[in-house]
Amino acid sequence: MSGPGKSTPEDPWPVRTLNTKIADWIHRLGQVWVEGQITQISRRGSKTAFLQLRDPSADISISVTCSPAVLDRCEVPLTEGIRVVMAGRPSFYTGRATLSLRVTEIRPMGIGELLARIERLRRLLAAEGLFEPGLKRPLPFLPHGIGLITGRSSAAERDVLSVAQGRWPSVRIEVRNTPVQGPTAVPAILRALAELEADPGVSVIIIARGGGSVEDLLPFSDETLLRAVSQARTPVVSAIGHEPDHPLLDLVADLRAATPTDAAKRVVPDVAAELALIDELRARTAGALRNWVSREHRGLLGLRARPVLADPLRMIDERTESLERTLREVRREVARFVGHEEHRVESLAARLSTLGPAQTLARGYAVVQRVHGDDPPEVVASVGDMPIGSQLRVRVADGAMRAAVMGTDKKRDA
C-alpha cells in the first residue's frame, strides 16, 4: 500500500485529485506583482474583464481576469501594447485545468519607469561588451542585395525605397513588412531578421521606423531583439525614428542612421556620383600620365642634347687630340732636354779635355815618377823626393822615358 498522498499504479489519483493538488500548490503563492505587456483586452458583460499579459522578452503569456472596475480605476486608459504592473493571485481552474491571474490592481508603467528599465538594460549590455566598436561590421561598398524590415506602407519604407532607387536604379531590396510597435512587433522583427540572414543575396539589413513616443519605440530596446542583432552575421543598420530618438538598437547595430532616408544614403552608393567620380579619376589619371610622359620626354631630350650623348665620340676625339698634343709636347721637351744635355756634356767634355793631363802634357809639361823596383811608380812633386841616383820615369805627351838623377837644383825658375 502507498503512503498518504502518494499515487501508484495500484492506487492512482483521479483527475480531480490531481487538479485539486495543483490548485492547492498554486494558491499557496499568494499575491504577486507581475510586469508585462497587455496584448488583448476583452470586457464580457459587467462582471469580468479578460486580458492577455505577455512577457516582452519571450514568447510567453498568461491569461488575466479582473473586475471591469479595476480597468476603470487606471489613471491611463489601458490599450493593447501598453506595459503594466499588476497585483493579483494565480488561480487554477480545476474544471478545465487552466491557469489565470486574478488581479486587483493595474498600474501602467510611466515614462520614467520605462526609461529606467531601458537604462538598466543598457548598462547590462554594455557590461557584456555588446556595444564595443570592435564588434561593428563594415558595410559593403556595393551591396548585392539590401534587406529592409519596416512597417507596411509606412513613410519609412517609402523613404528608403525612393532614395535607394534614385541613387541606384537597379538595386535589389528585399522588404519584410512587420509591426513596428506593440506586443507583436518583436517576434515579427525577429522572424524577418532570421529570413534575411538566411538569404545569401542580402549583404546588409536596414531596420527602419518613423519617429514616435518612448512607448512606441520600446520594441527596438527589447533585449531579445538586441541580442539577435548583435549575433547576426550580416551588417545591420538602425534607422529608428528621428535624430533625437535613441533606442538601444542604435548602440547594438553596426551603423546608426539618423533617419530612414539617411540609412538609404549610407547603404546605397550614388551610382551617378560614383560614375562621375570614376570619369574624373580617369581624366586625372590620364592627365597625370600625359604630364609624366611629357616631363620624361623633355628630360630625355635634354639628355640627348648633351654633348656626351649627342656626339658620343666627340669626347674621345678631343681626348685623343689632347693626348697627341701632349705627347708631341713631351717629345719636343724631351728632345730639347736631350739636346741641351748633349751640348752640356760636350762642353763639359771639352773643359775636361782642356783640364786633363794629356792636354797639359801637350803643352810641354811632363809627369815625373820615381821607380822603386817592382813597386808602382810614385809621382814626385819635390826635389827632396828625388835623391841623386834615383830612377825616374818621365811621361811626356807622346810617350815616356827613363832617367836617373844626376843632381838637383832647388832654385825656382822665374
Side-chain angles (χ1 to χ4, degrees):
M1 292 293 293
S2 61
K6 299 290 185 179
S7 64
T8 64
E10 293 77 15
D11 187 15
W13 287 344
V15 174
R16 62 181 179 276
T17 301
L18 175 63
N19 287 0
T20 301
K21 289 183 178 292
I22 293 175
D24 290 342
W25 278 103
I26 292 176
H27 294 159
R28 290 179 188 179
L29 289 174
Q31 179 172 296
V32 294
W33 285 93
V34 182
E35 175 197 346
Q37 190 175 33
I38 296 177
T39 60
Q40 183 179 353
I41 301 176
S42 175
R43 292 173 179 260
R44 297 181 182 178
S46 59
K47 293 184 178 181
T48 304
F50 296 89
L51 300 86
Q52 198 73 17
L53 188 66
R54 175 185 172 275
D55 189 322
S57 299
D59 191 13
I60 300 175
S61 62
I62 187 173
S63 297
V64 178
T65 61
C66 67
S67 168
V70 175
L71 303 181
D72 297 335
R73 286 198 304 268
C74 290
E75 299 177 358
V76 178
L78 297 180
T79 58
E80 294 182 2
I82 190 172
R83 289 202 178 195
V84 296
V85 177
M86 298 181 174
R89 292 176 179 275
S91 175
F92 188 78
Y93 180 55
T94 57
R96 291 193 300 272
T98 58
L99 177 67
S100 65
L101 183 67
R102 182 70 182 183
V103 300
T104 57
E105 185 177 356
I106 300 177
R107 298 179 184 177
M109 295 185 65
I111 298 299
E113 294 176 279
L114 294 177
L115 293 177
R117 288 179 57 82
I118 293 174
E119 178 59 23
R120 287 195 296 272
L121 179 59
R122 186 195 67 79
R123 289 198 296 267
L124 172 64
L125 299 182
E128 295 181 14
L130 266 65
F131 305 154
E132 291 296 325
L135 298 179
K136 307 299 182 185
R137 290 150 295 200
L139 301 186
F141 170 72
L142 193 64
H144 297 292
I146 300 171
L148 174 61
I149 302 175
T150 187
R152 184 180 301 278
S153 302
S154 62
E157 179 180 5
R158 291 193 299 271
D159 291 345
V160 172
L161 293 179
S162 62
V163 173
Q165 292 170 354
R167 294 170 65 87
W168 185 12
S170 59
V171 64
R172 185 175 71 89
I173 301 180
E174 293 290 335
V175 181
R176 296 293 185 273
N177 293 124
T178 65
V180 291
Q181 67 184 57
T184 60
V186 173
I189 294 174
L190 289 174
R191 288 192 297 271
L193 181 64
E195 291 177 9
L196 295 174
E197 266 276 283
D199 188 347
V202 174
S203 304
V204 62
I205 299 173
I206 301 175
I207 301 178
R209 185 201 191 282
S213 63
V214 175
E215 295 90 339
D216 294 338
L217 300 181
L218 277 178
F220 303 99
S221 294
D222 183 87
E223 183 177 358
T224 305
L225 176 61
L226 299 180
R227 293 188 182 278
V229 170
S230 68
Q231 295 171 2
R233 298 184 303 273
T234 306
V236 177
V237 177
S238 173
I240 307 302
H242 302 298
E243 185 66 34
D245 299 323
H246 291 285
L248 295 184
L249 181 62
D250 289 348
L251 302 177
V252 177
D254 300 290
L255 176 68
R256 176 191 180 264
T259 61
T261 300
D262 181 51
K265 291 180 179 179
R266 303 283 290 274
V267 171
V268 181
D270 189 342
V271 173
E274 296 300 329
L275 291 176
L277 178 59
I278 291 174
D279 292 340
E280 179 184 354
L281 292 177
R282 284 177 175 172
R284 290 169 57 184
T285 303
L289 182 60
R290 284 194 296 269
N291 292 337
W292 179 81
V293 172
S294 178
R295 183 173 62 254
E296 294 301 318
H297 181 65
R298 289 195 300 270
L300 183 59
L301 292 178
L303 292 175
R304 293 181 61 186
R306 294 182 179 181
V308 69
L309 292 179
D311 186 4
L313 299 179
R314 180 178 177 181
M315 181 179 294
I316 298 177
D317 295 339
E318 291 178 353
R319 294 295 181 182
T320 301
E321 293 176 1
S322 175
L323 182 60
E324 292 177 351
R325 184 168 56 254
T326 303
L327 184 59
R328 289 194 298 270
E329 292 176 356
V330 169
R331 287 175 176 171
R332 185 169 56 252
E333 290 296 322
V334 169
R336 185 181 62 80
F337 176 76
V338 170
H340 173 73
E341 292 300 316
E342 287 178 349
H343 177 71
R344 191 168 70 87
V345 168
E346 291 175 356
S347 175
L348 291 175
R351 292 173 59 188
L352 183 61
S353 298
T354 302
L355 298 176
Q359 292 295 327
T360 302
L361 295 177
R363 290 197 299 271
Y365 292 93
V367 177
V368 180
Q369 298 173 312
R370 184 179 177 181
V371 180
H372 295 279
D374 295 333
D375 295 334
E378 297 178 358
V379 176
V380 295
S382 171
V383 174
D385 295 334
M386 297 179 295
I388 297 172
S390 299
Q391 297 294 319
L392 302 176
R393 180 176 180 273
V394 182
R395 181 183 175 186
V396 294
D398 56 351
M401 68 188 70
R402 290 184 177 273
V405 178
M406 301 298 294
T408 59
D409 187 0
K410 296 184 177 181
K411 291 184 180 180
R412 275 193 190 184
D413 194 357

